[in-house]
Amino acid sequence: MPAGGFVVGDGQKAYPGKLTPFVLFTCIVAAMGGLIFGYDIGISGGVTSMPSFLRRFFPSVYRKQQEDASTNQYCQYDSPTLTLFTSSLYLAALISSLVASTVTRKFGRRLSMLFGGILFCAGALVNGFAKHVWMLIVGRILLGFGIGFANQSVPLYLSEMAPYKYRGALNIGFQLSITIGILVAEVLNYFFAKIKGGWGWRLSLGGAVVPALIITLGSLVLPDTPNSMIERGQHEEAKTKLRRIRGVDDVSQEFDDLVAASKESQSIEHPWGNLLRRKYRPHLTMAIMIPLFQQLTGINVIMFYAPVLFNTIGFTTDASLMSAVVTGSVNVAATLVSIYGVDRWGRRFLFLEGGTQMLICQAVVAACIGAKFGVDGTPGELPKWYAIVVVTFICIYVAGFAWSWGPLGWLVPSEIFPLEIRSAAQSITVSVNMIFTFIIAQIFLTMLCHLKFGLFLVFAFFVVVMSIFIYIFLPETKGIPIEEMGQVWRSHWYWSRFVEDGEYGNGVEMGKNQGTKHV
């Protein structure tokens, strides 16, 4: 059987294979790596709105919140130490993702997942037993190391294991796990905050051990991807594994393309330096701009600080935590919509529709907060209808993100990189994501204090910019085998000048001199 896949209709390959129970199970288990990231996002904002937690570790914030009625509502949580507690994790994740690139490339995706689970578990234990602020920070750093390893390896694992027809839906399982982790954390925060004695925050922080154990044990039972096995010279094992994953006996077409991609990969001594080559300009651009824009949507304003934000706009502690649970539920439900539609409607459609939806909601929320708070942050008595309007539009905003920029921010970068730069490029994606998550988490409360309701308009501006970027520069990647992705750049009006015919751009020069069969 000649190498190269079948070419159908528009010149795209169609490798034989189906969605087997085995690959479905492995992708579900691997996707649970997102639980640790989601749990942390949901838990951090919740505990920072618990009076007992603030009183113990951040007394200055507690005094402004509880004792000083004259404090501007926009500024009651403005504390560099409090924001360092949240944002230190993402700086650690940035650093560890760079190390994870080497581990993922040389030792496989599973080992990176295992390291991620162990480090996150250690951080959860330190935080759960913390008695001083420095212990909280150390615990957050360990959590960040774990997230860096998991976020670097899990999206790659899912994109490599999934049949190309279902790659979008299975990869978004990672984002679904993130949203489930957020929701679980917010529900737990709501109930733990009611524990008498004010020690419920310990259960919230220490509870991170559970998702950490899930990814740790899961990494021990998962098989490695055929791509990773071939990359490490295990060709026969990889072919056997590929047959089981695809559910067909004849996988020679896809296998030969993977081997060719691996040979190209082995010729690259310095994958980091190779990223700067002209033919990888589109890949590097997307590896930087997509995660950058994902953070500039303003979603972390909602997800990190949802309870804090709702408390700031006048809700009681219980009401703010419950509102966060509502937004978390919307987040999960909307991610299911993305799983259903991403391989039907395409990536570009979801990006653009979600951007439009978020833009409208941010403008409305800014108007609502501005009308009631003005610039002095003293809203007076807040009517019930006001709270309902704010929560409703925040939920619509979260839904727009959850079926567009949330999952696609991880999916698209993980599926466009050729094998020879895949680990390094994914580390760039994670690093950019984490450094801007760190920056926004560190400065958000200060920005809220100074920009007031205008902060939402700042993020709305970036939503406009990133939607224009997607419309102009991102080609559709739906339904294209991962090792044949180079064709989308060669046929793009702008990127074709960088990825010319004769350059692989995807690790393998597909369909040329490989006996490709046209049907």
Side-chain angles (χ1 to χ4, degrees):
M1 176 81 60
F6 293 98
V7 177
V8 296
D10 56 359
Q12 297 178 10
K13 286 194 176 177
Y15 295 125
K18 54 190 176 182
L19 183 60
T20 63
F22 175 70
V23 76
L24 183 62
F25 170 77
T26 58
C27 286
I28 289 174
V29 173
M32 288 183 181
L35 288 174
I36 62 174
F37 192 23
Y39 187 89
D40 178 80
I41 291 173
I43 219 71
S44 57
V47 297
T48 53
S49 71
M50 293 182 186
S52 59
F53 179 80
L54 293 175
R55 185 172 58 247
R56 182 182 183 94
F57 294 106
F58 306 99
S60 63
V61 176
Y62 176 79
R63 286 193 296 271
K64 284 194 292 184
Q65 182 200 55
Q66 301 289 329
E67 300 169 7
D68 188 357
S70 66
T71 300
N72 187 317
Q73 291 293 299
Y74 290 121
C75 301
Q76 64 176 335
Y77 288 96
D78 184 17
S79 165
T81 309
L82 178 60
T83 50
L84 181 62
F85 162 72
T86 299
S87 59
S88 57
L89 177 147
Y90 302 98
L91 190 59
L94 160 68
I95 296 170
S96 68
S97 68
L98 302 178
V99 177
S101 169
T102 301
V103 175
T104 300
R105 178 179 171 89
K106 292 188 176 181
F107 303 104
R109 285 57 169 150
R110 292 170 60 244
L111 192 60
S112 281
M113 292 185 213
L114 178 62
F115 284 168
I118 292 173
L119 290 167
F120 197 87
C121 186
L125 291 173
V126 172
N127 274 350
F129 290 104
K131 294 186 177 181
H132 307 283
V133 171
W134 69 264
M135 293 182 69
L136 288 179
I137 304 300
V138 169
R140 295 287 291 172
I141 290 172
L142 289 171
L143 294 174
F145 287 155
I147 286 175
F149 272 94
N151 286 14
Q152 204 278 341
S153 55
V154 172
L156 288 185
Y157 185 93
L158 294 171
S159 285
E160 291 179 347
M161 288 291 285
Y164 70 95
K165 292 180 181 178
Y166 307 99
R167 186 177 63 243
L170 292 176
N171 189 286
I172 291 176
F174 177 66
Q175 178 68 17
L176 178 63
S177 288
I178 292 177
T179 62
I180 291 173
I182 293 172
L183 177 59
V184 169
E186 289 168 341
V187 171
L188 292 178
N189 277 336
Y190 178 75
F191 288 104
F192 290 159
K194 296 178 178 295
I195 293 177
K196 293 182 179 180
W199 53 275
W201 60 268
R202 291 194 183 276
L203 295 179
S204 291
L205 295 176
V209 168
V210 177
L213 290 176
I214 290 175
I215 185 176
T216 301
L217 297 176
S219 65
L220 296 175
V221 301
L222 289 174
D224 237 333
T225 68
N227 312 60
S228 178
M229 296 170 74
I230 291 172
E231 200 171 22
R232 290 177 286 131
Q234 302 170 3
H235 286 205
E236 288 305 314
E237 297 93 329
K239 194 166 189 176
T240 301
K241 189 65 65 180
L242 189 60
R243 289 193 186 99
R244 187 178 183 191
I245 290 171
R246 299 294 178 249
V248 294
D249 291 331
D250 187 1
V251 294
S252 58
Q253 302 161 351
E254 183 175 4
F255 177 77
D256 289 346
D257 283 344
L258 291 177
V259 171
S262 178
K263 289 180 179 177
E264 178 74 8
S265 171
Q266 298 300 327
S267 68
I268 305 299
E269 294 183 7
H270 306 289
W272 289 99
N274 200 50
L275 273 170
L276 300 178
R277 293 177 61 183
R278 178 181 173 84
K279 68 177 182 177
Y280 298 125
R281 196 73 49 82
H283 309 78
L284 182 60
T285 300
M286 296 302 164
I288 294 173
M289 298 308 293
I290 288 179
L292 164 62
F293 284 138
Q294 187 192 52
Q295 296 311 306
L296 292 178
T297 59
I299 187 63
N300 287 336
V301 172
I302 304 298
M303 288 307 174
F304 287 166
Y305 300 108
V308 171
L309 183 63
F310 288 126
N311 197 305
T312 296
I313 60 179
F315 297 176
T316 65
T317 300
D318 276 358
S320 67
L321 287 172
M322 180 50 69
S323 298
V325 171
V326 171
T327 58
S329 301
V330 171
N331 199 16
V332 173
T335 304
L336 293 173
V337 173
S338 185
I339 290 175
Y340 172 81
V342 68
D343 291 316
R344 291 175 172 84
W345 307 325
R347 283 63 160 157
R348 280 170 52 86
F349 171 80
L350 288 176
F351 265 132
L352 297 174
E353 190 283 331
T356 303
Q357 187 169 323
M358 288 188 290
L359 174 63
I360 294 171
C361 292
Q362 283 167 322
V364 172
V365 170
C368 287
I369 296 178
K372 293 301 294 182
F373 284 75
V375 295
D376 60 0
T378 53
E381 190 69 26
L382 292 173
K384 185 176 182 179
W385 67 263
Y386 168 84
I388 294 174
V389 169
V390 172
V391 171
T392 298
F393 276 93
I394 285 179
C395 285
I396 297 173
Y397 164 84
V398 168
F401 177 86
W403 60 51
S404 63
W405 279 88
L408 299 181
W410 295 106
L411 166 62
V412 173
S414 71
E415 69 182 358
I416 64 173
F417 302 139
L419 185 61
E420 64 267 24
I421 62 168
R422 192 168 294 159
S423 293
Q426 181 67 10
S427 287
I428 294 291
T429 296
V430 175
S431 298
V432 172
N433 187 295
M434 292 303 158
I435 194 164
F436 278 92
T437 304
F438 168 78
I439 291 171
I440 291 173
Q442 188 66 31
I443 68 176
F444 161 63
L445 294 175
T446 300
M447 290 175 68
L448 180 63
C449 181
H450 290 86
L451 295 177
K452 284 79 177 182
F453 61 88
L455 178 60
F456 293 92
L457 298 179
V458 171
F459 288 122
F461 167 77
F462 284 113
V463 170
V464 173
V465 173
M466 69 197 205
S467 296
I468 294 173
F469 173 83
I470 291 297
Y471 182 79
I472 295 175
F473 293 110
L474 182 68
E476 182 56 65
T477 56
K478 177 187 73 172
I480 298 174
I482 192 170
E483 300 302 342
E484 199 190 351
M485 200 61 71
Q487 65 171 292
V488 304
W489 310 114
R490 285 193 292 268
S491 60
H492 190 269
W493 72 272
Y494 179 76
W495 297 121
S496 58
R497 69 190 66 184
F498 299 99
V499 183
E500 301 172 353
D501 288 337
E503 285 192 314
Y504 295 154
N506 64 337
V508 187
E509 190 172 12
M510 296 293 188
K512 297 181 71 174
N513 304 318
Q514 293 188 45
T516 303
K517 180 179 179 180
H518 295 264
V519 295

